[in-house]
Structures are given as structure tokens and as C-alpha cells.
Amino acid sequence: MSFHVGRRFRFGTIGEKKLNSGVTTQLLLTLFDVEGIVHFGIAGNADPDLHIGDVTVPRYWAHTGLWNWQRYGDGPEKELALESNGDYTRKYGALNFSDYGVAGGGGGNLLNGVWYQPEEVFPADGTPESRRHEFWVPVDGRYYQLAQKLEAMPLERCVNRTGTATSPATCLARAPAVARVERGCSASVFVDNAAYRQFLRSRLGVTPIDMESAAVALVAAQQGAPFIAIRSLSDLAGGGSAESNEAGVFAALAAQNAVAVAVKFISLLS
């Protein structure tokens, strides 16, 4: 164990690979000689074809918490403030709040809409103060290809396998699986809203929705470090799943599956 600037780092090994787990990826990359980043945990799900307990490995991550909020009265054809000098863009689409009014709500509203924006990245090995814009941040190509070997991996299906007459076994409707998917997204927002989940799925094509992975991806991109994120689905964000079991019952199982897949992936790196 090591402490730096108030942060705690733990050292260990999985599959003969040395591991450092810290709360700040930037500090981790600065203070230690890191071969690559394997980030894992649970996430909300935006794809109704997948289920609780499935483990996803996205090819790209986006931070969907950076917006340009458009003035009331401006339409989508109206240039955004500071768009002309390259600070903002309409490339990634908008969330128009008027599209989500309830019946009889009267149409438009003062909130208008928000446009999703890429983040500024200043590569550590680039020219100082020379930025690039990143929205879809790719994971490491070799890591993503290697993750294909995880797709046949058996995963836990039941919270308790030994049921009784008074307390039956609590199991998912089908065995979970590992799936490489195209996109995931993160923001400092806990998404428990079906309409917003459907928007993210239809507009951006994401599967897992979490609050951390894109931040780690952006730091990895800045530092030029190999990165991959493994996210087990704990619920269909906002509800409405064909899966009748509640996320609260299976959150621990989802976390267990994420850990199992991460450990297996790390062993493959050896």
C-alpha cells in the first residue's frame, strides 16, 4: 500500500499482472509505471435487448455531461455561441426539451434544448496548449480484440442457488453473457428515467450508462495509456425491462460478474 497527496493506492497481482487501484487515474498514471488501465464496475443499461447481469465491453466511450445550452427562441439551424471559432459544435445532436412534454402541455418551453459537446484533450506528448476535441474516445484496439475471448465465459445467474419451499432460489430468467458493444457513455448524472435512456440509445447508440468510465477514458487518451472498461448491467435505466427481477436484488450479482470478467481479462494479458 502507498499514500500520495492524500490518496491511497493498493498493490497486488491478478494472473501474474501487477495491479494498482487508485481513486484518481491521473495520479495513478503520473506516480506509477502503468502498463494499461482495466476499469470495471456496474452500469445502467440502455439496450432493452440485453438484461441484468450481462457484462458489456464498449469500443467507444463518450462524456455526455458537457452541453451548450441554447437560448430560448433559437432553432436548431441557429449557430451556437462561440461555434464559429471552434469551441462548440452541433455535430453530435441536441436534446430538445419540448419533445418530451406531456399531453396538453402546450408545446415549447423556456429551456429550449442542449447540444452535446466533445471534451478538450491536451495530449501529454503533444505541443503544450495544443488541444484536440474528443467525443467518442476509443478503448485500446488490442484490448478490445482480446476481449472477444471473454464472450463465451460463463457468468453467475443466481443470487442463491439452493432454494427451499419457503425461500425459492433467486435467479435471472436466462444466463448472463459477455458482449462487446459499440458505445457507452458517462456523466455526473444517475439516469433513472426511461425517456432520457431511450434518447441516449436512439441518438447516440449507447449500451452501458455510468458515471465514471468516460472520465477515465479521457485521462487515458490524454496520457496515451491503453484503456478498456468492463461494465456489468445492473438495470434497464428508468425501468420498463422485460426482465421482471428488480435491480436491487441483482446489483451484487452484476458486480460479481463484472469482477469475474475483469479478472479473466487481466489473466489474458499475461
Side-chain angles (χ1 to χ4, degrees):
M1 183 185 296
S2 178
F3 294 89
H4 292 277
V5 293
R7 307 296 190 182
R8 176 183 295 153
F9 296 86
R10 298 185 183 274
F11 302 90
T13 60
I14 293 179
E16 300 180 359
K17 287 289 181 181
K18 290 184 178 180
L19 300 178
N20 303 317
S21 178
V23 296
T24 306
T25 304
Q26 181 66 65
L27 277 174
L28 191 66
L29 292 170
T30 302
L31 296 170
F32 301 103
D33 182 16
V34 176
E35 180 179 326
I37 301 167
V38 180
H39 183 66
F40 62 93
I42 62 174
N45 175 27
D47 182 355
D49 291 333
L50 296 180
H51 293 267
I52 292 172
D54 288 344
V55 178
T56 61
V57 184
R59 185 196 298 264
Y60 298 96
W61 283 92
H63 176 225
T64 51
L66 181 60
W67 299 342
N68 185 310
W69 208 309
Q70 199 164 30
R71 290 185 179 187
Y72 171 70
D74 286 355
E77 75 290 342
K78 181 76 172 183
E79 186 177 272
L80 302 174
L82 304 180
E83 182 179 352
S84 60
N85 65 5
D87 284 332
Y88 296 104
T89 180
R90 287 170 289 164
K91 179 179 179 180
Y92 302 104
L95 171 63
N96 189 326
F97 292 103
S98 294
D99 292 342
Y100 295 89
V102 297
N109 62 73
L110 296 174
L111 291 175
N112 197 2
V114 295
W115 293 84
Y116 289 84
Q117 300 300 317
E119 291 280 1
E120 290 183 340
V121 175
F122 294 83
D125 58 354
T127 304
E129 300 303 319
S130 177
R131 66 180 180 175
R132 69 173 189 252
H133 287 94
E134 295 278 7
F135 190 76
W136 293 114
V137 183
V139 303
D140 182 76
R142 183 176 74 89
Y143 283 9
Y144 189 75
Q145 288 301 317
L146 190 61
Q148 186 175 14
K149 296 183 178 181
L150 303 169
E151 292 180 341
M153 179 179 173
L155 297 175
E156 186 57 60
R157 177 182 175 184
C158 299
V159 175
N160 59 321
R161 288 185 172 277
T162 56
T164 65
T166 57
S167 179
T170 305
C171 298
L172 294 165
R174 67 160 173 80
V178 179
R180 292 190 306 166
V181 298
E182 195 67 12
R183 297 172 176 177
C185 73
S186 308
S188 55
V189 177
F190 186 85
V191 178
D192 190 27
N193 182 277
Y196 188 56
R197 173 248 300 166
Q198 291 163 0
F199 169 83
L200 290 173
R201 178 66 182 172
S202 63
R203 182 61 60 90
L204 300 178
V206 301
T207 300
I209 305 170
D210 71 16
M211 301 174 71
E212 305 90 15
S213 296
V216 180
L218 285 161
V219 171
Q222 180 190 48
Q223 298 294 320
F227 162 78
I228 196 166
I230 295 166
R231 285 287 178 169
S232 183
L233 305 177
S234 63
D235 64 290
L236 186 67
S241 172
E243 174 62 71
S244 60
N245 296 301
E246 292 297 327
V249 176
F250 290 98
L253 182 146
Q256 178 182 339
N257 283 346
V259 171
V261 174
V263 169
K264 178 65 174 177
F265 178 80
I266 293 167
S267 71
L268 293 175
L269 292 174
S270 301

